[in-house]
Amino acid sequence: MDRHGLKPAELARQTGLSNANTIYNFLNGRSRALSQKTYEKLARVMPGETLDSLTGGAGPSGARGIPVRAEACAGRLNPSFDLPLDHQSEAAMPVDAGMLAAGVFGVAVGRPGAELLYPEGTVLACLPFLHCDEPPATGRRLIVQRIRDGHVEVMVRELEVAGGKAWLWPRSTHPDHQQPIACPWPNDGRMWKVGEDRFSIPAVVVGSYQPEGRSSAPWTRG
């Protein structure tokens, strides 16, 4: 890619990235962890390059199997973030080679917690938070974990950033899941405490697969 004569700082400026190191590491083969949006921007500003050439020959439209490691269900405490191995599965998702290299994984959506966003059974493609090449903005869906007494709750939350502060909102019709979680911002992936609970953001949602025939009707009690 040196033939383009474009320096990382210039590419970062043209693609709108705030950190030129991300582009430098990509150009020098140190990382493939770019989002699809960034690949698309690079393809537009680098003459002769395509999504296929930038992602190593497998474009974002090619379905690949990713491990479905967890299930998001508000209010349910689990022994760990990951499902037991005999409950894990694989889902074919249109993720690129860079996301695979960065460790993209699947999270199944349960109820309650995010039924206003996704039908139950939706599989979310999730990029580890530390591999995101730019800070998530308001409206981005995040995978959040809460740890209490050695047990883990896995949730889907929607980010709202305003005035240098951030909140993680549930998008549920369930009356017990209406309040946001305050989140330190900017967040560098570190865990934070609220009372006896510890929170972290393991991943950012980068895509979803919604099976047909699933209802997204409001949550009702038993």
Side-chain angles (χ1 to χ4, degrees), residues 34-114:
L34 300 180
S35 67
Q36 180 176 332
K37 183 178 179 181
T38 300
Y39 278 123
E40 291 171 347
K41 290 179 179 178
L42 284 173
R44 287 196 294 268
V45 301
M46 298 178 73
E49 298 292 349
T50 65
L51 285 174
D52 281 356
S53 66
L54 290 171
T55 59
S61 60
R64 303 168 184 265
I66 65 171
V68 181
R69 291 174 40 197
E71 182 178 17
C73 184
R76 187 175 71 195
L77 293 174
N78 308 297
S80 66
F81 180 87
D82 287 349
L83 291 165
L85 287 176
D86 59 351
H87 284 69
Q88 294 186 22
S89 59
E90 189 173 85
M93 302 283 282
V95 296
D96 59 44
M99 290 184 183
L100 283 179
V104 67
F105 63 93
V107 173
V109 177
R111 296 182 69 181

Side-chain angles (χ1 to χ4, degrees), residues 2-63:
D2 292 341
R3 66 182 181 274
H4 299 300
L6 296 172
K7 295 183 178 180
E10 177 62 14
L11 281 172
R13 185 188 67 79
Q14 292 190 35
T15 56
L17 286 176
S18 59
N19 187 356
N21 286 337
T22 299
I23 299 294
Y24 178 86
N25 290 335
F26 173 75
L27 293 177
N28 287 277
R30 298 181 181 179
S31 172
R32 304 289 296 180
L34 300 180
S35 67
Q36 180 176 332
K37 183 178 179 181
T38 300
Y39 278 123
E40 291 171 347
K41 290 179 179 178
L42 284 173
R44 287 196 294 268
V45 301
M46 298 178 73
E49 298 292 349
T50 65
L51 285 174
D52 281 356
S53 66
L54 290 171
T55 59
S61 60

